[in-house]
Amino acid sequence: MEIPAGAEDVRGAGLDGWDSDGYLLSFTVPHAEAEALAADLRLDQPLRALTPLPPREPPSPAGFAHLGLPDPDTVPNARSGGVCPPCIGDKRRSMLQSIGITLQDLGGGTTRVYLGGQ
């Protein structure tokens, strides 16, 4: 996955797991770029609005808290979706079994993109 050229506040991490590796990536971009990124993933279902969950205490050290960010399912003004790249024949991302995306509207035309893959 390529980070858009104009992305700001870019944060990422990888986790070597015993059965699979995990990847986290987050950044902010203008709303239109975030929507284009979600469309390019060819999600299984349209993005769905999230009702924010209460923050976990303590936050998972393997989650977005590791990047200094809240978990995407706890943020307001967010929509989420996912895709299985091999299932849809997306050879660009075939090394991943799943990709989850959350778009959080930060206001002012800016969106925080949360991506997680395994």
Side-chain angles (χ1 to χ4, degrees):
M1 174 136 303
E2 290 188 32
I3 299 169
E8 297 181 356
D9 194 21
V10 178
R11 306 178 196 197
L15 174 67
D16 293 329
W18 64 271
D19 64 345
S20 67
D21 296 334
Y23 306 93
L24 300 174
L25 179 62
S26 184
F27 49 85
T28 61
V29 290
H31 182 70
E33 282 188 60
E35 293 295 330
L37 182 79
D40 184 56
L41 285 176
R42 300 177 7 217
L43 301 172
D44 297 335
Q45 303 277 329
L47 290 170
R48 68 186 189 293
L50 293 177
T51 301
L53 298 173
R56 291 173 192 82
E57 292 299 330
S60 168
F64 282 90
H66 179 73
L67 302 178
L69 296 168
D71 283 327
D73 57 359
T74 67
V75 298
N77 307 316
R79 296 174 298 132
S80 184
V83 65
C84 166
C87 300
I88 62 169
D90 186 347
K91 296 190 185 326
R92 299 170 300 163
R93 301 175 182 107
S94 62
M95 70 175 269
L96 298 172
Q97 293 301 307
S98 66
I99 300 173
I101 184 171
T102 299
L103 303 182
Q104 180 190 18
D105 184 349
L106 299 176
T110 302
T111 298
R112 172 163 293 284
V113 177
Y114 293 87
L115 292 161
Q118 293 184 329

